[in-house]
Amino acid sequence: MASAPFCPLRPGRTAAHKNGMDVQYFIELFFSGLTRGSIYALIALGYTLVYGIIELINFAHGEIYMLGAFTALLVAGVLGIMGFPAGGILVVAALAAIIWSAAYGFTLEKVAYKPLRGAPRLSPLISAIGMSIFLQNYVLLAQTSEYLPFPRLLPDMEFLDYIDNIMGPSDFLILVCSMLAMVALTLFIRYTKMGKAMRATAQNRKMALLLGINADRIISLTFIVGSALAALGGVLIASHMGQVNFSIGFLAGLKAFTAAVLGGIGSIPGAVVGGLVLGIAESFTTGYISGNYEDALAFALLIFILIFRPDGILGKAKVQKV
Amino acid sequence: MMRPVSKAILASIWFMILTFPVMGIKLNTVEQTVEWQFDRIILLGVAIFFLSLLWNWCFSRKGRGLPLIALPSGMGATLGRLCSLPLRDSRSRAVSLTVLLLVMLVMPLVSSFYQTNIMILALLYVMLALGLNIAVGIAGQLVLGYVAFYAVGAYAYALLNQFFGLGFWACLPVGGLLAVLFGLALGFPVLRLRGDYLAIVTLGFGEIVRLTLLNWTSLTGGSGGIKNIPGPSFFGKQLSIEDNTIFIYYLVLLAVILTIVVITRLKNSRVGLALQALREDEIACEAMGIDLARVKLSAFALSSCWAGFAGVIFAAKSTFINPASFTFMESAMILSMVVLGGMGSIVGVVIAALILILAPEYLRAFSDYRMLIFGAIMVIMMIFRPQGLVTGERRKYRINALKGEQA
């Protein structure tokens, strides 16, 4: 699979810094790790929310993220040709991506997972894999197999010049937006009625049903929230990388899943911690060792965690029953 | 009647809005123009309307416990009898199998070079699907990185040939053995995992193998792959390309027959029954005194072995390999054959593998939509017919002695 999912350093600042292993380089790597880590965290939240409620690895979640990036690209392209100002385009494109991705996530659940409630555990997983392949090829056939350029929409942020060697406008935007999204999610889950219902359903679906919670509605809501977060991640990374392709979802999805497992699947702070840890670990590996095995690192990490601590950093151990 | 129709209209409007950006907008970034493709959206809306009606109808039938396709009463029975006719007794079974074998034997002699090549590919996939069927269908261990073992086999032959000059026949067992070793290497650490976690770990394993092959340039040649892999020698002499293809065809055919025989025997053996117990319930299986670790490892070993053999044959057939042949999509394709055919069913998996490889080759119009259809098949089969086209049958044991006592 041809992929250039995340660039470890911003263009133009690789060669000079790679030689010296100074503090500056270290800090730069740390922040670029933080940037990509927060994207992983945004996607990982979707995995963790869904797993928490219906114990399903939503294999097609990476595709939702890709659809978000694609929708943003298309909307931004149309608005750009019509001649709207750059800042406005970014906001509208991001909103469109979030709305459409949420709709895709909702539809995905209704079509591929809802009919399989109560089926043997592997059935929905196979259905999810099928959906992932389907969505990838849907975009491939409807659009193109090539990398499409994402327009440059970010304004220059002058205040960043003071810390210019550490991050650029897109890194800054990613950190701020993902931070805001995570805070908003935490508040939503903790303090709203729907959030409470989500937590109740995650704890015990049957009991929640008995208490008058519409579990189907809560599951749909979970998919919508998770997809919206993934779409936000998709828009941010597309504007950061400057290109979008139908296959970006597969790798990003797997890595985000790794992050979710690393933090303890089902746990919301776990997904954030896992995402950041994975992002920083990858960034240091690329910066100090070699970029070639960057993807292999994530998979190796995933295998190690699942074998030695399957409940992750913040997860709780569960007893398996017949 | 009104409800399904209004539902279908709603669904069709919903999908038209949903697919609007991806389907309806085509950007031309060079000339800065937008192409609006409303015709596609309208077409999709109409298609969704009918699909939604069909979807609802299927669910209502499923809900009432009826089969999806009901033939007129007489026809269904006749068709069933016709289908079971060749399998009814051992004699007619032998006759029909002989006819099938003869057709398969004569095929490369009368068909073109191109068609023989397609047939080889299809038979290789039959072998792979049957191998994966051991792990997924019989033992219930969802392996998503099956293609890694295929790659191990192919690279084993290519590298041993390149560096040590070993021939095809020496490498065939080595490739199988190496794949088994890799299967055990994967199986041992994942003994504690089950279900979905196992699936993801095997996927990661498959990707690691592929990435290693891609990046270890000094050994494997990276994305450039390995060229000029010789075909199998026929009693010590190398054949021409045409003869070689026919020879490989017979080789694969033999391998497939061998696979079918071994798996049929395996299914009803002690190990096979233990594997099926593992599929049904791990904890109950352990409580019955089955050594879980051993059974799981044997599932991995038995399954990966066939992929290793298939890999060696694949390398000899294509004379060139590179990591691009061993992506996750390949694993997913093999998995969809197992899912379509029916997990645990040998006949079903063979038929499904042949359909899924041959149909896109002969129906060129569909070949672009191949992966799209594979994905859809996995979803639809899981929802409407999780047991697959052909239900995997278990051997039934009848105790005749008891009957005798009662009489």
Side-chain angles (χ1 to χ4, degrees), chain B residues 203-214:
Chain B
L203 195 162
F205 176 79
E207 285 296 294
I208 288 177
V209 168
R210 188 180 66 84
L211 288 167
T212 311
L213 291 175
L214 193 65

Side-chain angles (χ1 to χ4, degrees), chain A residues 317-321:
Chain A
K318 265 191 203 160
V319 180
Q320 289 168 338
K321 284 173 274 187

Side-chain angles (χ1 to χ4, degrees), chain A residues 39-100:
Chain A
I39 297 289
Y40 291 149
L42 279 179
I43 312 175
L45 282 169
Y47 277 109
T48 252
L49 285 172
V50 168
Y51 196 91
I53 290 196
I54 51 174
E55 298 220 327
L56 161 76
I57 298 173
N58 180 12
F59 206 85
H61 191 59
E63 265 47 72
I64 299 288
Y65 150 89
M66 179 268 293
L67 280 165
F70 240 100
T71 310
L73 175 118
L74 292 167
V75 171
V78 171
L79 293 179
I81 288 167
M82 286 174 166
F84 281 82
I89 293 179
L90 190 64
V91 174
V92 175
L95 279 177
I98 288 170
I99 291 170
W100 256 282

Side-chain angles (χ1 to χ4, degrees), chain B residues 146-202:
Chain B
Y146 193 60
V147 83
F149 308 121
Y150 188 41
V152 165
Y155 270 90
Y157 175 41
L159 291 174
L160 285 174
N161 185 275
Q162 198 180 32
F163 289 106
F164 301 104
L166 286 183
F168 174 83
W169 294 106
C171 288
L172 192 59
V174 176
L177 197 70
L178 267 177
V180 168
L181 286 180
F182 267 76
L184 291 178
L186 168 65
F188 192 67
V190 300
L191 279 175
R192 296 201 314 178
L193 301 177
R194 47 200 247 164
D196 33 18
Y197 274 9
L198 176 84
I200 298 288
V201 167
T202 56

